[in-house]
Amino acid sequence: VLSYVLDKGLDGLPLIAVGDSHNDVELFKVSDYSIAFCPVDSDVASEADRVIDECRVNELIEEVLRFINTTYKSRSMQVYSHPGVCNGI
């Protein structure tokens, strides 16, 4: 995902990163908002804008929507998903 974002950009759309491990930290750094979801340790959590310790998907969805509604409510939004994300949900 990070290489795609760096190569192609998102045409001015905000990037919200959700991750749980050390390999997600670089994406956190280039995103507009980052959420550590069930992070593996406190080092990962400290790199995110928001931490959700409990593995509750509804809380994650509520946080993403809260961020969009409070920060970008006047802009048109599109949702992009990387292939393989949320498989089986």
Side-chain angles (χ1 to χ4, degrees):
V1 174
L2 179 58
S3 62
Y4 177 87
V5 170
L6 294 176
D7 285 348
K8 307 227 185 243
L10 294 176
D11 297 326
L13 295 172
L15 173 63
I16 301 171
V18 177
D20 64 352
S21 62
H22 296 278
N23 63 316
D24 299 311
V25 170
E26 289 303 314
L27 188 57
F28 287 176
K29 291 178 182 179
V30 299
S31 66
D32 296 293
Y33 190 64
S34 58
I35 303 169
F37 183 66
C38 304
V40 295
D41 61 36
S42 61
D43 291 337
V44 174
S46 69
E47 296 291 339
D49 296 312
R50 171 78 161 86
V51 178
I52 299 174
D53 289 315
E54 301 284 326
C55 296
R56 296 184 183 139
V57 175
N58 61 324
E59 190 175 341
L60 173 63
I61 293 168
E62 289 172 5
E63 180 61 24
V64 169
L65 292 175
R66 184 202 61 76
F67 174 76
I68 291 169
N69 288 333
T70 59
T71 308
Y72 295 97
K73 62 183 168 185
S74 64
R75 295 176 58 182
S76 296
M77 297 294 297
Q78 293 177 312
V79 177
Y80 289 90
S81 178
H82 186 271
V85 174
C86 296
N87 281 345
I89 293 179

